[in-house]
Amino acid sequence: MEGHFPVGEVFCMVVVRRREMKTKELGQQQIIQGLKDADSEVIDDFIQQFSRPLFGVILNYTKNPPDAEEILQDTLLRVIRKIDTFRQESDIWPWMKRIAINNSIMWLRKRRASRGREIQLEDFAPTFSEDGHLHGSVFRWSVDPEDVILNAELASQLYEAIQSLPFEYRVPLVLRDTEGYPIKQIASLLGLKEATAKTRIHRGRLAVRRKLADYLEGRG
Amino acid sequence: MRHYLNCKNCFDLLMDYLEDSLDSETQKKLDQHFAECSPCLNFLESYRDCSKMAQQLRDQQVEIPKELENRLKTFLHEQM
């Protein structure tokens, strides 16, 4: 699935596909050894192989390409500098991805001053009658979640819905739903109480759900 | 936990329900409510689907401009 998403003034092509970012064992060993030896050819291959997927990860946290570039640069440098601490028997991709996520979160924490608006529950929750019954009908959408891999427009709508969330909501939601982190770990990474992390994920999901429901209803 | 859960109670417990963090008795009451209340079931499914769809964005590939790749190479070679 391919789709073009506007990122700042440039358009990045985002390819969503079910895939394992697993390097072949020999390739991984060569990369690790090459980085340790500061082999310039291996460094070029390493950049070519991993800068795209890492940039994709980072863009989930920051929408701003110049910032994402800065975080990517720092992530690649950290990977090279920390390569001696990497446990060789494991796969290098999840390790690098964690460094990219931690870097993105550190960057966001520094920028806390630019807070987004708070998502009010009542803006996106269904309405209930006084006795607690759901008011009116709820649109029943007929979307298979896996369609996102095949449907560029749907993926684009989803991507934009997530990206439009203020970062206080976007980051916990991406960590939980996209990356599958447990809530406890999300709370710890973001310096939040678990209950706050849960509330933010819930509100973020409600906002994304509303945007997609509007899109799917409009599409008929 | 109260005997009967209305739609609002279920909505308030939605996240814990999907996280599987409710006690089994409450979990069963929500199962029962969703089995009997189609608006709540529609809401639950759409909410859960959003979560599943977001998972598909994992490991997305981004085509980055060649100039960015070149800038990264220059930067890293300078740092080594």
Side-chain angles (χ1 to χ4, degrees):
Chain A
M1 195 294 297
E2 292 184 355
H4 289 83
F5 298 120
V7 180
E9 288 176 3
V10 294
F11 278 76
C12 287
M13 182 182 280
V14 178
V15 183
V16 182
R17 60 170 80 117
R18 198 195 308 275
R19 63 198 299 280
E20 293 249 325
M21 275 305 303
K22 201 166 178 150
T23 49
K24 285 179 191 158
E25 204 170 325
L26 186 63
Q28 173 161 321
Q29 289 313 317
Q30 280 175 332
I31 286 170
I32 293 167
Q33 198 51 54
L35 295 184
K36 283 182 179 174
D37 298 340
D39 180 324
S40 61
E41 265 183 51
V42 173
I43 291 175
D44 285 352
D45 288 347
F46 160 72
I47 293 169
Q48 220 154 356
Q49 192 173 342
F50 291 107
S51 53
R52 288 176 173 84
L54 286 172
F55 201 62
V57 169
I58 293 163
L59 279 174
N60 279 329
Y61 299 89
T62 168
K63 296 180 279 188
N64 182 341
D67 291 333
E69 181 177 337
E70 205 178 300
I71 298 168
L72 175 61
Q73 196 171 279
D74 187 58
T75 299
L76 294 170
L77 188 59
R78 270 175 202 251
V79 166
I80 295 172
R81 291 194 170 150
K82 289 173 130 191
I83 197 72
D84 285 327
T85 67
F86 173 69
R87 282 172 40 243
Q88 303 245 4
E89 66 274 17
S90 47
D91 185 29
I92 199 167
W93 167 245
W95 180 73
M96 285 198 287
K97 193 170 162 181
R98 267 198 306 278
I99 294 176
I101 291 173
N102 285 340
N103 265 359
S104 305
I105 290 170
M106 270 166 45
W107 177 88
L108 286 166
R109 289 178 89 161
K110 278 187 212 155
R111 301 260 173 139
R112 256 196 187 157
S114 58
R115 294 177 74 86
R117 87 182 168 87
E118 200 167 316
I119 293 180
Q120 300 298 328
L121 195 59
E122 55 270 22
D123 290 345
F124 300 105
T127 49
F128 299 97
S129 58
E130 269 183 31
D131 61 359
H133 279 89
L134 208 152
H135 224 35
S137 61
V138 173
F139 172 64
R140 185 171 191 277
W141 64 23
S142 50
V143 168
D144 179 343
E146 297 199 354
D147 282 354
V148 160
I149 304 171
L150 308 165
N151 184 333
E153 200 184 330
L154 178 62
S156 169
Q157 292 290 331
L158 171 68
Y159 188 80
E160 280 171 27
I162 295 173
Q163 290 291 311
S164 69
L165 296 173
F167 80 78
E168 290 92 337
Y169 299 90
R170 187 175 72 247
V171 175
L173 182 135
V174 168
L175 286 169
R176 180 74 196 111
D177 289 343
T178 306
E179 301 295 346
Y181 277 50
I183 287 172
K184 197 172 179 176
Q185 199 177 346
I186 296 169
S188 153
L189 270 170
L190 301 177
L192 300 171
K193 289 181 180 165
E194 277 185 48
T196 310
K198 272 166 76 172
T199 302
R200 290 190 186 177
I201 294 164
H202 180 55
R203 291 185 184 192
R205 282 177 181 166
L206 290 174
V208 169
R209 184 206 157 272
R210 169 62 61 83
K211 287 189 180 173
L212 282 186
D214 288 348
Y215 160 71
L216 291 168
E217 259 183 296
R219 209 181 54 168
Chain B
M1 172 53 67
R2 71 190 75 188
H3 179 65
Y4 170 76
L5 294 179
N6 62 28
C7 304
K8 173 81 168 59
N9 303 139
C10 292
F11 174 77
D12 291 340
L13 295 170
L14 194 57
M15 184 147 173
D16 288 316
Y17 176 74
L18 293 176
E19 289 287 330
D20 229 359
S21 58
L22 296 170
D23 62 77
S24 60
E25 196 191 336
T26 312
Q27 191 89 7
K28 269 185 206 159
K29 282 181 184 166
L30 269 88
D31 288 340
Q32 198 181 343
H33 184 96
F34 290 127
E36 291 165 0
C37 179
S38 61
C40 279
L41 181 65
N42 288 345
F43 194 87
L44 165 75
E45 286 180 344
S46 57
Y47 180 97
R48 184 164 46 198
D49 283 353
C50 284
S51 202
K52 286 184 185 165
M53 282 194 264
Q55 205 184 337
Q56 306 293 337
L57 295 178
R58 194 173 181 187
D59 295 341
Q60 63 190 358
Q61 292 279 290
V62 182
E63 289 302 322
I64 59 175
K66 197 74 192 158
E67 307 87 76
L68 169 56
E69 203 174 289
N70 290 338
R71 281 202 296 276
L72 290 168
K73 285 179 181 170
T74 308
F75 169 78
L76 289 180
H77 287 305
E78 279 169 5
Q79 296 293 317
M80 299 308 289

